[in-house]
Amino acid sequence: MLRALVWDVDGTLAETERDGHRVAFNRAFEEFGMPRRWSEARYGELLKVPGGRERLLADMAAHPDALRDDDERMALATSLHGLKNAHYARLVAEGAVDLRPGVRELMDDCQRLGVQMAIATTTSRANVEALLDTCLGRDGRARFAAVVCAEDAPSKKPDPQVYALCLRRLGIAAHEAIAIEDSPAGVAAARAAGVPVVVTRSRYFADARTTGAFAVGPGLDSIAGWTPRAGRRGRVTLTQLMAWRESLLKLSA
Ligand code: XBP
Ligand code: MG
């Protein structure tokens, strides 16, 4: 029986990266008087590194002007990251990002069918709450039985920590959940925790590897273009996800 749908945040609930986190990083650089700006393309490369602060450290390491001292680098990355998150929350509150098409409808399916929802993300609680408050309104947070963030699971995806903790908080077994992800690191994290995973491709991971996912498609608003094929009309419903998952569980039984 399916007992929970576990959402990834960045790239899955919303396309937060290009117009949210990336812009916020650039504003933080500007505020620090740093000439660095991340173009859309450069940010795409850097997204291979999960975690905003880790991404800053990776970029610093790749630059000849980088600080040589590890502690100094870490201090700068921590300050920049904090500032970035403040800018990010402001951008989200201003409406810079919205939930991806089909997300609200799938959430409503969960409510109707009595399937719990949870969040398993690499980003911080403040960032998640900014998004939920803006996009789902006052009762948004209450719709999730567990919200597991960077503060709870410091070992970032592809490490399974965030999923393992989420399952523990929900009090369910891995096979009783479905994860929704967009990135290879997210898929790897869910699979390593034993959670069946579906991929909705996002802007920055449009062509990325999705090995291990039981279904992959361009978005929840249309069933067209999904693998396995399931028709051409309508959106991706929770009933459809459950049917795909059942076939997977039968195959692996
Ligand atoms: C995506 C990430 C995050 C965000 C930025 O997380 O890797 O690092 O890009 O957020 P997920 P932070 O897909 O698991 O939601 O700066 O807070 O890390
Ligand atoms: Mg993601």
Side-chain angles (χ1 to χ4, degrees):
M1 195 178 87
L2 180 67
R3 294 182 62 193
L5 185 64
V6 184
W7 295 90
D8 166 53
V9 173
D10 298 296
T12 303
L13 275 184
E15 286 280 12
T16 53
E17 299 292 3
R18 188 188 68 184
D19 304 328
H21 290 295
R22 185 187 68 91
V23 173
F25 275 116
N26 284 339
R27 289 190 181 170
F29 294 144
E30 193 177 346
E31 214 170 310
F32 256 67
M34 293 168 71
R36 189 159 308 169
R37 299 291 179 272
W38 285 344
S39 67
E40 285 181 34
R42 175 68 182 143
Y43 194 65
E45 288 164 22
L46 287 165
L47 271 179
K48 289 184 189 124
V49 182
R53 195 176 62 160
E54 292 77 359
R55 199 165 297 144
L56 281 164
L57 288 167
D59 190 50
M60 285 178 195
H63 276 75
D65 64 341
L67 298 168
R68 287 189 190 283
D69 183 76
D70 281 355
D71 291 343
E72 278 182 53
R73 268 193 211 174
M74 185 57 89
L76 178 59
T78 302
S79 303
L80 279 167
H81 191 232
L83 198 53
K84 182 280 283 185
N85 281 340
H87 281 294
Y88 176 78
R90 217 165 299 142
L91 281 162
V92 169
E94 286 164 10
V97 294
D98 195 4
L99 297 184
R100 289 183 63 181
V103 165
R104 282 184 180 83
E105 290 83 351
L106 191 59
M107 287 182 172
D108 291 344
D109 287 350
C110 288
Q111 199 159 352
R112 233 181 351 257
L113 297 178
V115 172
Q116 298 186 95
M117 290 201 297
I119 282 178
T121 179
T122 291
T123 199
S124 66
R125 186 163 298 275
N127 289 351
V128 174
E129 290 177 350
L131 190 71
L132 297 183
D133 292 354
T134 305
C135 298
L136 290 173
R138 225 158 25 104
D139 303 326
R141 297 183 202 181
R143 298 186 71 172
F144 298 88
V147 178
V148 187
C149 307
E151 292 88 344
D152 314 294
S155 301
K156 303 278 157 81
K157 299 172 187 177
D159 192 288
Q161 188 181 51
V162 69
Y163 277 102
L165 192 55
C166 188
L167 293 172
R168 212 175 319 138
R169 289 200 183 159
L170 291 171
I172 64 171
H175 71 271
E176 295 177 309
I178 290 176
I180 306 195
E181 279 284 353
D182 70 307
S183 69
V187 172
R191 292 306 301 131
V195 180
V197 58
V198 47
V199 168
T200 51
R201 290 193 175 281
S202 60
R203 184 178 283 139
Y204 274 119
F205 292 106
D207 304 313
R209 222 165 33 87
T210 55
T211 317
F214 69 81
V216 181
L220 293 170
D221 56 330
S222 171
I223 195 78
W226 276 76
T227 307
R229 281 185 67 149
R232 288 193 211 149
R233 283 164 200 270
R235 63 182 178 88
V236 179
T237 61
L238 187 62
T239 308
Q240 178 63 66
L241 293 185
M242 285 155 101
W244 275 327
R245 172 179 161 278
E246 282 305 314
S247 325
L248 171 85
L249 294 178
K250 256 184 228 148
L251 275 179
S252 52

